[in-house]
Amino acid sequence: MLHKSVFDQIRDLVKTIPKGKVTTYGAIARFLGLKSARVVGWALKGNQNPLIPCHRVIQKQGTLAKNFSLGGDLGQKQRLENDGIIFDKHNHIDMSQYYWQPVSK
DNA sequence: ACCATGACGGTGT
DNA sequence: GACACCGCCATGG
């Protein structure tokens, strides 16, 4: 991975997600001009940097990816709850309340 | 260069 | 809601 890679762009963007907010794989992909959200998930999986709040990236439906690297979906849920985000009984979160739209920095 | 593999998303049944 | 496909594309073998 020399030069600026897709991951570099994803990392910089994820860093700007405010505490208490979340965004989606698809939103990041589209923001970066990618046609597939799968690349975003792949990039986060391969590069788990503790300085990057990657737990704030979730699925569009407000649900969590089951294969989250740091403790699975449960570990991700705990991190989000630590951010002050409330889950309903089906492990969904209210996207109308918590969704954060990526913006140019 | 070919092929399998995803922390997805959209659509159809 | 639960499945099943399919398109997507960077990476590694």
Side-chain angles (χ1 to χ4, degrees):
Chain A
M1 85 169 55
L2 314 94
H3 314 306
K4 281 286 187 182
S5 64
V6 174
F7 165 70
D8 291 322
Q9 300 178 58
I10 293 174
R11 178 190 59 187
D12 290 341
L13 179 59
V14 171
K15 272 178 167 178
T16 68
I17 304 176
K19 179 178 180 179
K21 292 290 183 178
V22 300
T23 192
T24 70
Y25 300 96
I28 294 175
R30 188 176 161 168
F31 180 78
L32 296 179
L34 301 173
K35 297 168 188 170
S36 173
R38 307 188 68 161
V39 181
V40 177
W42 170 87
L44 293 181
K45 176 184 181 182
N47 299 274
Q48 324 156 12
N49 184 319
L51 297 179
I52 302 176
C54 56
H55 61 283
R56 293 174 189 156
V57 182
I58 67 175
Q59 296 174 137
K60 194 171 188 178
Q61 299 303 119
T63 54
L64 304 182
K66 63 181 178 182
N67 293 315
F68 185 75
S69 299
L70 306 174
D73 53 345
L74 254 162
Q76 185 175 13
K77 179 182 178 184
Q78 292 184 340
R79 285 161 178 264
L80 288 171
E81 288 179 328
N82 189 52
D83 281 351
I85 292 177
I86 307 300
F87 286 76
D88 69 13
K89 62 180 179 180
H90 298 296
N91 284 333
H92 290 178
I93 73 171
D94 182 1
M95 290 303 277
S96 66
Q97 179 180 357
Y98 297 118
Y99 179 66
W100 175 82
Q101 175 71 32
V103 291
S104 300
K105 192 179 172 194

